[in-house]
Amino acid sequence: MIVQLCEIAQVRSGDKGDCSDISLFAQNKEMFEVFKVEITAEKVFEHFKPMAAGPVQRFEMENVLALKFLIDGALAGGASQSLRSDNLGKCFGSNLLRMKIDVPDHILQGAKCFRYPHS
Amino acid sequence: MKSVRIGASVGFWGDIFTSAVDVARYGDVKYICGDSLAELTMAILQKAKNKNPKDGYTKDVFPLMTSLLPICKEKGIKIISNCGGINPLGAMEAVKGIAKKLGLSDLKIAVVEGDNILDRLKEFGDKGYLGDIGAEHGGLWDKVLFANVYLGGKEIAKALSTGADIVITGRTTDSGQFLGPAMYELGWQEDDWDKIAQGIVLGHLMECSGQATGGNFSGEWWKVDKLGNLGYPVSEIYENGEFIFSKPRNTGGMVSVDTVKEQLLYEIHDPTCYLTPDGIVDFSTVKLENVGTDQVKVSGATGKPKPPTLKAILGYTAGFVGEGSITYSWPDALPKARKAEEILRQRIDMQGINYEEIHSEYIGLNSIHGPLAPEPEYETNEVMLRVAVRTSSKDEAAKIGREFPALALNGPPHASGLGGMHSIRELIGQKTALIPREEIEPLVKISVEEV
């Protein structure tokens, strides 16, 4: 099933100079294996192309089932130069959650949903 | 096995104090440590010191120490802080004053100096340590506001060995505030690389205060309880480097593998090679386990020898930002705001405002996610237009704000909420350089005074 990352993934982001630093967390090992295939550095670069020069580096953190992305040239010159409201890139992580990927149904069943449960 | 309990006070200059008080009161800690220095803080402090030589440390030292000193004195808790900024000795004088005011005595304060290299830039430039920093920016030398190297936890450990109750430093690393007491209490050697690595991970998890105990949690955030009374980190770290990460009883927030892992990877860049002055850490071997309510066991970090150089940050004036904002209401809020931007840009051209960069965004639509934010599928109730320019002079930056008030009368209808017009912000550029340790470490000075 096609699912938007905001439904299933935890994320936190920050900065260093002009580089956005995003950690994306899967809920379990099976989901992490899907993330590794579906969320490549190339795909993340493509996702952020309208606002980042790149390149994108990816690190696999098996110990906490996370992918870390370093996106160069992403912060309009860095916090000390940027005119953006989000000059520190704190919300680059939530922007990554807009991405949609294909996850097998059985992995989604029983997974937590990270969207606010509107009644 | 020998262990020590360490708590967190503040994660930045501007943090709240009530959580630090809870840590001191209920955390059963021997140390309470905090990080007050973001990179840009140093620029603010240097300017303050230029105006008044007694200034140059973070002002939260007053409310923080006023709240903490009486509790810490009573319980024998030691306080560690890099609130000294550009003027650690000034911060010490301030703390002495606070102690006297509170009627406290018999307190030993140690101050670590040696991180400030502003006076040595010419020397370091001549020696080739600063690379092309001078050349690249023609007049950069005149524009440098501050220059500091990062000292680490081992300097703090040395300061503690003087018997100090309070340690004040300038630019020491965030993680060093916590690693220092662990090294000192547990008798770690500077080259116990795996233990040092665990101590750095401890510091990294604790230095952003509430961010590891349920604050800024991206999982089921609505289930995190009592964030208004958020418990800040408290850890018990053992001689072998393992530690239990937790928070004081009866405080809000949540400590679990899910909250801790977000902070574990936060802003560390290459997770297999996190560089600090105390050692290089591989975070990929760290193991997190839930071992009780609000308790996470952290183990397994691996370390490599510390780098031969220390990182220096040079901050320089890099222009000014002027901005303004105006809010348009339903109906047709977005088309109105877009028309206002068009008018504003025309005015900027007509006035000949000399800017280096201009940026506009619509708050409520795309100010955070930029071009990745989709057009809304519904009609928005209101939209705020924000326009910012970067200029080389303060006067030029001020010009843009002046164009906003007239928009409310001369532009599309139904505008309100004018804002930002008078806030001119100075931009601080930053350059990093690597300085050989032997240039810095022999000159690190630890002085001790008593109240």
Side-chain angles (χ1 to χ4, degrees), chain A residues 78-95:
Chain A
S80 60
Q81 298 280 302
S82 172
L83 299 177
R84 293 178 188 161
S85 285
D86 186 22
N87 64 333
L88 292 161
K90 301 287 186 196
C91 295
F92 262 66
S94 63
N95 220 350

Side-chain angles (χ1 to χ4, degrees), chain B residues 6 12 25 33 52 150 228 248 259 288 302 305 321 372:
Chain B
I6 301 173
F12 60 99
R25 269 205 191 115
C33 317
N52 174 2
Y150 281 84
T259 64
L288 303 178
T302 41
V321 174
L372 271 62

Side-chain angles (χ1 to χ4, degrees), chain B residues 125-416:
Chain B
D126 290 346
K127 287 180 173 168
Y129 303 148
L130 305 181
D132 59 357
I133 288 177
E136 195 180 330
H137 283 267
L140 185 66
W141 294 113
D142 301 330
K143 293 181 182 172
V144 172
L145 284 170
F146 69 89
N148 295 72
V149 290
Y150 281 84
L151 300 177
K154 71 180 165 66
E155 280 77 22
I156 290 169
K158 274 182 201 142
L160 287 169
S161 70
T162 65
D165 302 296
I166 300 167
V167 176
I168 293 169
T169 68
R171 183 68 277 185
T172 43
T173 54
D174 313 354
S175 58
Q177 313 304 312
F178 303 87
L179 169 67
M183 286 175 78
Y184 171 66
E185 286 285 334
L186 304 172
W188 294 349
Q189 299 304 304
E190 285 176 22
D191 59 355
D192 283 343
W193 302 120
D194 288 346
K195 288 177 186 167
I196 295 290
Q198 276 287 125
I200 293 166
V201 171
L202 168 91
H204 176 71
L205 287 177
M206 299 188 68
E207 58 103 347
C208 278
S209 58
Q211 264 207 139
T213 54
N216 198 11
F217 174 51
S218 70
E220 294 171 296
W221 53 267
W222 56 92
K223 290 188 177 172
V224 182
D225 203 22
K226 294 191 289 184
L227 282 170
N229 182 32
L230 183 57
Y232 277 10
V234 168
S235 290
E236 179 152 6
I237 184 157
Y238 293 85
E239 212 170 354
N240 66 1
E242 294 179 359
F243 61 95
I244 305 291
F245 184 90
S246 187
K247 65 184 185 69
R249 286 182 303 277
N250 304 322
T251 55
M254 182 164 91
V255 174
S256 69
V257 168
D258 284 340
T259 64
V260 171
K261 70 186 181 187
E262 287 192 8
Q263 182 60 24
L264 185 74
L265 299 191
Y266 179 61
E267 289 185 339
I268 59 171
H269 288 246
D270 181 347
T272 62
C273 187
Y274 181 64
L275 293 163
T276 83
D278 296 298
I280 299 172
V281 186
D282 183 352
F283 279 71
S284 71
T285 55
V286 172
K287 193 174 165 196
L288 303 178
E289 300 161 81
N290 288 315
V291 291
T293 306
D294 291 321
Q295 290 197 325
V296 169
K297 182 180 167 187
V298 184
S299 60
T302 41
K304 282 177 273 190
K306 64 192 177 194
T309 50
L310 294 171
K311 185 168 97 169
I313 290 196
L314 283 69
Y316 58 95
T317 54
F320 297 85
V321 174
E323 65 173 270
S325 56
I326 184 167
T327 309
Y328 287 90
S329 81
W330 182 96
D332 302 318
L334 188 53
K336 287 174 191 163
R338 287 197 164 126
K339 177 56 83 177
E341 185 194 342
E342 200 184 304
I343 297 164
L344 199 75
R345 285 184 183 252
Q346 190 195 346
R347 292 285 310 164
I348 288 168
D349 285 347
M350 284 167 65
Q351 296 296 91
I353 297 177
N354 189 9
Y355 60 82
E356 286 161 6
E357 189 187 350
I358 183 165
H359 172 78
S360 56
E361 56 191 25
Y362 295 95
I363 293 169
L365 180 72
N366 64 9
S367 72
I368 302 296
H369 281 183
L372 271 62
E375 287 284 308
E377 289 163 8
Y378 58 92
E379 192 179 355
T380 49
N381 289 314
E382 58 201 38
V383 174
M384 179 186 270
L385 166 69
R386 172 178 173 267
V387 178
V389 290
R390 193 172 68 232
T391 63
S392 54
S393 86
K394 198 171 180 176
D395 290 344
E396 213 57 26
K399 286 180 184 170
I400 184 158
R402 289 186 206 126
E403 293 298 324
F404 273 81
L407 260 184
L409 282 67
N410 301 358
H414 312 133
S416 188

Side-chain angles (χ1 to χ4, degrees), chain A residues 34-100:
Chain A
V34 175
F35 278 19
K36 282 199 277 189
V37 176
E38 290 277 323
I39 313 170
T40 59
E42 293 73 26
K43 213 172 149 190
V44 169
F45 185 28
E46 199 54 42
H47 182 78
F48 280 105
K49 224 165 197 174
M51 54 198 307
V56 175
Q57 252 185 299
R58 186 182 90 166
F59 299 91
E60 296 171 11
M61 297 293 281
E62 297 282 343
N63 57 334
V64 283
L65 305 176
L67 294 174
K68 180 174 272 297
F69 298 96
L70 302 181
I71 310 173
D72 266 334
L75 299 178
S80 60
Q81 298 280 302
S82 172
L83 299 177
R84 293 178 188 161
S85 285
D86 186 22
N87 64 333
L88 292 161
K90 301 287 186 196
C91 295
F92 262 66
S94 63
N95 220 350
L96 178 59
L97 297 182
R98 292 181 180 280
M99 186 185 280
K100 290 173 180 163

